[in-house]
């Protein structure tokens, strides 16, 4: 009877020939394959000394940028927290006191700013939502930890230090910056 | 007389040391070969190229907690690995590690004892090795261990028959059981006459012996006694710390010894091509011969590992089928053919 789909195959278990039954040719074939692999180029990267280069669009650990004077750009507007699909970002806002102009650029700032790195999916929507160019995803890795608490990154880990700025120009290339200036696009407003 | 004892004592210590060192570095080589075959680099952290890795492993083994199960038979539990180790090392006594070394006119043979029945001794000691596994598996009082032990003993008994039969053809040819005489029988290029290695006359016998040696050493594709996918760890499931280390060590020493026996019986032992035609002094020939012997051993140890990372494990019924219904008839046929050829060529 012909099958409806025509996909069925008739299998006949052919008797093994003598050469197949003594296995030796097959074994010799096998060991030549493994011998060839013995001399192949190894695919391993010796990690701490050698590192794979990230793709130019790689989104890794976040950074909270400071402006040129060293004041924090973040104004705790909460747009990033709203944009975040994983609800990984929380913050509390505070008002800048007189004399703190060196520390915070705007009149309002984030007293606490936490990202739960276990919730974060590194989509980069917080970066897109930020009106102050304050948060960016960098090419750094989120390191491992023993407990869940360790993955909730506060301002101590997120804000870049004044003398050791984090380079975000890898993804914020001139082309991207040019694109961001086109204000009539809804995306960039 | 005292000098004789000193020379023997030195030889014993050196052979013992070499075997332990070889076993240590076999573990390193195993990991490296495995890694290279799988396109990895293997251990490379301890020392340059990771050559201190065996040392680190040894320290780890000693530092591990020693656990003896509550329900185990304590005495036998300790005796098991000791027997495995002891029998593994004992076989090294009769291996001819080299020819004669003449120092100040006194000849020193690089072999601890030259028994007339050296080959039988090797067989006896190697088959005692299964008691280590058997006792260890039994004393653990664990189903998986017992399964491993039973598999090991059944496998050993089955393959010893084929192994012994494959050797008989060789003994018929050489007419001796002494390993040294078998080596001398294969000496190449003596006075214009050529003595080929035994593998040329006994290719089938060599193949049978090799397969049986794999089974006797519990190496893949015959590693059913410790098949970790089925039996947790097989006979050494309950073992920890250095007792486990002893079992693993015994396995590698067995590999080393069986490689030495294979090279001695079928690949000329300490002989190398043109050894008597190069006009070298006796001592130079001996040293080069020992070197050649160790290269042969090294190749076979590598071959064990090479096969391990190529072939998958047999099913148990396949193992028994191969042992009883393929290897034993083939070995008997090999004996018959050898006898027939010897009669026809008047070499009796």
């Amino acid at each position: 009877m012909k099958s409806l789909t025509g996909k069925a195959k008739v299998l006949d278990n052919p008797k093994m020939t003598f050469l197949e039954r003594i296995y030796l040719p097959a074994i010799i074939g096998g060991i030549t394959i493994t011998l060839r692999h013995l001399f192949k180029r190894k695919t391993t990267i010796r990690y701490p000394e050698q590192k794979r280069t990230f793709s130019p669009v790689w989104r890794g650990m976040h950074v909270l940028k400071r402006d040129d004077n060293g004041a924090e750009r973040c104004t705790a507007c909460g747009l990033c927290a709203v944009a975040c699909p994983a609800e990984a970002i929380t913050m509390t806002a505070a008002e800048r006191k007189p004399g703190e102009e060196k520390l915070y650029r705007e009149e309002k700032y984030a007293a606490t700013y936490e990202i739960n790195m276990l919730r974060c999916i590194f989509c980069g929507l917080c970066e897109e939502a930020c009106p102050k160019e304050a948060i960016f995803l960098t090419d750094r890795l989120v390191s491992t930890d023993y407990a869940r608490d360790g993955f909730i990154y506060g301002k101590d880990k997120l804000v870049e230090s004044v003398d050791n700025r984090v380079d975000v120009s890898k993804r914020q290339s001139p082309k991207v910056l040019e694109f961001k200036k086109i204000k009539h696009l809804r995306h960039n407003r | 007389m005292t000098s004789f004892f000193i020379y023997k004592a030195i030889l014993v210590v050196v052979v013992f040391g070499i075997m332990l060192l070889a076993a240590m570095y076999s573990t390193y080589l195993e990991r490296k070969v495995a890694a290279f075959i799988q396109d990895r680099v293997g251990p490379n952290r301890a020392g340059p190229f990771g050559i201190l890795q065996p040392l680190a492993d040894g320290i780890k083994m000693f530092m591990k907690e020693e656990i003896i199960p509550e329900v185990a038979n304590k005495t036998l539990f300790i005796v098991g690995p000791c027997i495995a180790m002891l029998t593994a090392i004992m076989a090294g006594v009769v291996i001819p590690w080299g020819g004669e070394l003449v120092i100040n006119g006194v000849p020193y043979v690089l072999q601890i004892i030259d028994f007339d029945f050296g080959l039988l001794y090797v067989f006896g000691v190697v088959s005692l090795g299964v008691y280590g596994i058997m006792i260890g598996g039994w004393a653990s009082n664990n189903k998986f261990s017992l399964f491993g032990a039973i598999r090991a003993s059944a496998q050993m008994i089955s393959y010893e028959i084929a192994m012994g039969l494959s050797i008989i053809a060789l003994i018929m040819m050489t007419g001796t059981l002494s390993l040294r005489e078998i080596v001398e029988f294969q000496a190449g290029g003596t006075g214009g006459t050529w003595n080929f290695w035994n593998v040329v006359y006994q290719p089938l016998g060599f193949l049978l012996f090799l397969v049986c040696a794999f089974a006797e050493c519990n190496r893949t594709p015959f590693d059913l006694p410790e098949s970790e996918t089925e039996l947790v760890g097989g006979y050494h499931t309950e073992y920890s710390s250095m007792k486990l280390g002893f079992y693993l060590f015994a396995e590698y020493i067995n590999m080393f010894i069986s490689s030495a026996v294979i090279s001695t019986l079928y690949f000329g032992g300490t002989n190398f091509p043109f050894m008597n035609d190069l006009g070298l002094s006796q001592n130079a020939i001996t040293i080069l011969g020992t070197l050649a012997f160790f290269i042969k051993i090294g190749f076979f140890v590598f071959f064990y590992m090479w096969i391990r990372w190529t072939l998958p494990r047999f099913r148990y019924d396949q193992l028994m089928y191969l042992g009883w219904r393929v290897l034993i008839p083939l070995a008997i046929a090999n004996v018959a053919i050898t006898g027939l050829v010897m009669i026809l060529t008047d070499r009796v």
Side-chain angles (χ1 to χ4, degrees):
Chain A
M1 193 180 79
K2 214 165 172 272
S3 66
L4 288 172
T5 55
K7 281 179 184 168
K9 266 187 203 160
V10 180
L11 288 179
D12 57 331
N13 266 337
K15 257 191 134 35
M16 285 200 286
T17 60
F18 177 71
L19 274 181
E20 280 171 340
R21 263 189 297 140
I22 58 170
Y23 291 123
L24 287 181
I27 288 174
I28 290 166
I31 61 176
T32 44
I33 287 172
T34 41
L35 190 68
R36 243 180 293 141
H37 276 272
L38 202 63
F39 301 109
K40 260 197 184 155
R41 218 170 63 84
K42 310 302 169 208
T43 49
T44 315
I45 293 255
R46 293 152 178 81
Y47 169 61
E49 295 96 42
Q50 268 176 313
K51 280 176 184 158
R52 280 215 167 85
T53 47
F54 288 133
S55 144
V57 294
W58 165 272
R59 297 187 296 261
M61 188 178 129
H62 314 65
V63 63
L64 287 173
K65 293 291 285 180
R66 293 174 187 273
D67 68 2
D68 297 337
N69 303 323
E72 284 174 27
R73 288 179 182 174
C74 179
T75 180
C77 63
L79 282 177
C80 48
V82 172
C84 183
E87 299 189 4
I89 303 175
T90 54
M91 69 187 77
T92 51
E95 204 173 326
R96 185 180 67 185
K97 302 216 166 50
E100 288 181 336
E101 286 83 0
K102 277 268 168 61
L103 291 174
Y104 311 110
R105 194 173 63 177
E106 316 280 336
E107 279 139 30
K108 194 170 128 235
Y109 70 93
T112 62
Y113 190 105
E114 288 179 343
I115 301 180
N116 187 335
M117 290 299 177
L118 291 178
R119 295 198 69 119
C120 179
I121 57 171
F122 301 95
C123 59
L125 288 185
C126 47
E127 180 184 299
E128 277 181 28
C130 187
K132 298 290 179 189
E133 305 273 285
I135 189 165
F136 288 105
L137 274 70
T138 60
D139 57 352
R140 298 173 300 169
L141 287 171
V142 174
S143 58
T144 53
D145 206 313
Y146 290 105
R148 282 161 187 263
D149 295 351
F151 285 104
I152 298 170
Y153 281 23
K155 279 180 77 174
D156 53 328
K157 285 182 182 166
L158 292 171
V159 180
E160 65 176 351
S161 70
V162 181
D163 8 272
N164 193 14
R165 297 301 181 97
V166 177
D167 180 30
V168 292
S169 60
K170 208 168 187 181
R171 280 174 60 241
Q172 302 299 313
S173 58
K175 229 172 162 184
V176 174
L177 293 175
E178 200 61 37
F179 175 76
K180 278 187 174 173
K181 278 182 195 150
I182 313 173
K183 288 296 174 193
H184 66 265
L185 290 175
R186 196 158 167 263
H187 179 83
N188 289 335
R189 245 176 260 162
Chain B
M1 201 60 201
T2 37
S3 72
F4 175 77
F5 276 116
I6 290 169
Y7 134 69
K8 285 295 184 196
I10 290 173
L11 205 57
V12 166
V13 170
V14 167
V15 167
F16 182 71
I18 284 175
M19 281 204 292
L20 288 188
L21 200 73
M24 263 173 83
Y25 273 90
S26 296
T27 61
Y28 168 72
L29 191 68
E30 173 104 84
R31 292 174 66 179
K32 273 288 185 194
V33 168
F36 273 60
I37 282 177
Q38 294 165 352
D39 295 345
R40 300 184 280 117
V41 275
N44 65 344
R45 294 285 132 182
F49 304 106
I51 51 169
L52 297 179
Q53 188 67 39
L55 225 63
D57 284 343
I59 292 169
K60 184 204 78 175
M61 280 286 188
F62 274 112
M63 294 299 176
K64 285 265 178 180
E65 188 190 351
E66 181 87 67
I67 299 167
I68 298 181
E70 193 89 319
V71 289
N73 184 330
K74 302 240 162 28
T75 329
L76 290 182
F77 195 79
I78 296 166
V79 166
C82 299
I83 291 181
M85 194 72 178
L86 179 76
T87 51
I89 289 174
M90 265 166 73
V93 169
V94 289
I95 306 286
W97 301 103
E100 273 184 350
L101 211 57
V102 183
I103 300 167
N104 295 335
V106 187
Y108 292 104
V109 181
L110 297 183
Q111 183 183 17
I112 297 171
I113 306 172
D114 182 19
F115 285 138
D116 292 340
F117 50 88
L119 200 48
L120 283 185
Y121 173 84
V122 171
F123 267 69
V125 167
V126 166
S127 45
L128 278 179
V130 76
Y131 280 97
I133 294 173
M134 190 66 200
I135 289 172
W138 171 259
S140 302
N141 207 349
N142 171 320
K143 287 184 185 106
F144 290 116
S145 302
L146 189 61
F147 265 129
I150 289 172
R151 280 183 179 192
S153 41
Q155 178 178 322
M156 285 275 200
I157 290 165
S158 311
Y159 279 78
E160 228 144 59
I161 300 169
M163 199 180 206
L165 283 172
S166 67
I167 284 297
I168 284 179
L170 186 82
I171 296 167
M172 279 160 63
M173 268 179 55
T174 52
T176 175
L177 280 168
S178 157
L179 287 171
R180 172 156 298 278
E181 281 173 37
I182 290 175
V183 168
E184 277 159 12
F185 185 81
Q186 307 174 63
T190 37
T193 56
W194 272 95
N195 294 315
F196 289 109
W197 292 345
N198 281 336
V199 68
V200 178
Y201 303 111
Q202 287 285 340
L204 182 60
F206 163 66
L207 200 65
L208 294 173
F209 189 85
L210 190 69
V211 173
C212 294
F214 271 87
E216 295 275 304
C217 290
N218 299 328
R219 294 288 297 183
T220 326
F222 305 104
D223 64 339
L224 286 112
E226 49 189 307
S227 51
E228 51 284 280
T229 42
E230 303 158 31
L231 296 181
V232 191
Y235 60 88
H236 57 60
T237 305
E238 296 286 358
Y239 280 90
S240 56
S241 182
M242 206 52 208
K243 290 204 193 67
L244 174 68
F246 263 33
Y247 271 126
L248 303 182
F249 243 63
E251 185 183 324
Y252 283 103
I253 292 175
N254 274 332
M255 255 168 73
F256 183 73
I257 291 294
S258 65
S259 301
V261 171
I262 290 170
S263 333
T264 308
L265 294 182
Y266 290 100
F267 284 86
T270 56
N271 297 311
F272 53 95
F274 309 112
M275 57 187 290
N276 293 331
D277 301 330
L278 294 175
L280 295 168
S281 70
Q282 168 72 26
N283 284 357
I285 287 178
T286 303
I287 291 166
L288 280 178
T290 307
L291 206 65
F293 189 47
F294 276 100
I295 289 170
K296 288 169 192 171
I297 293 174
F299 171 76
F300 277 105
V301 169
F302 168 72
F303 189 72
Y304 270 108
M305 294 164 184
W306 188 7
I307 290 290
R308 171 166 179 187
W309 298 105
T310 304
L311 297 182
R313 184 182 303 135
F314 276 113
R315 219 167 51 212
Y316 200 68
D317 61 315
Q318 291 173 330
L319 174 94
M320 282 296 151
Y321 180 90
L322 184 70
W324 287 97
R325 295 182 59 185
V326 178
L327 293 185
I328 292 178
L330 271 179
I332 292 172
N334 189 35
V335 171
I337 292 166
T338 310
L340 203 66
V341 170
M342 279 171 71
I343 289 171
L344 291 178
T345 55
D346 282 334
R347 286 186 60 173
V348 181

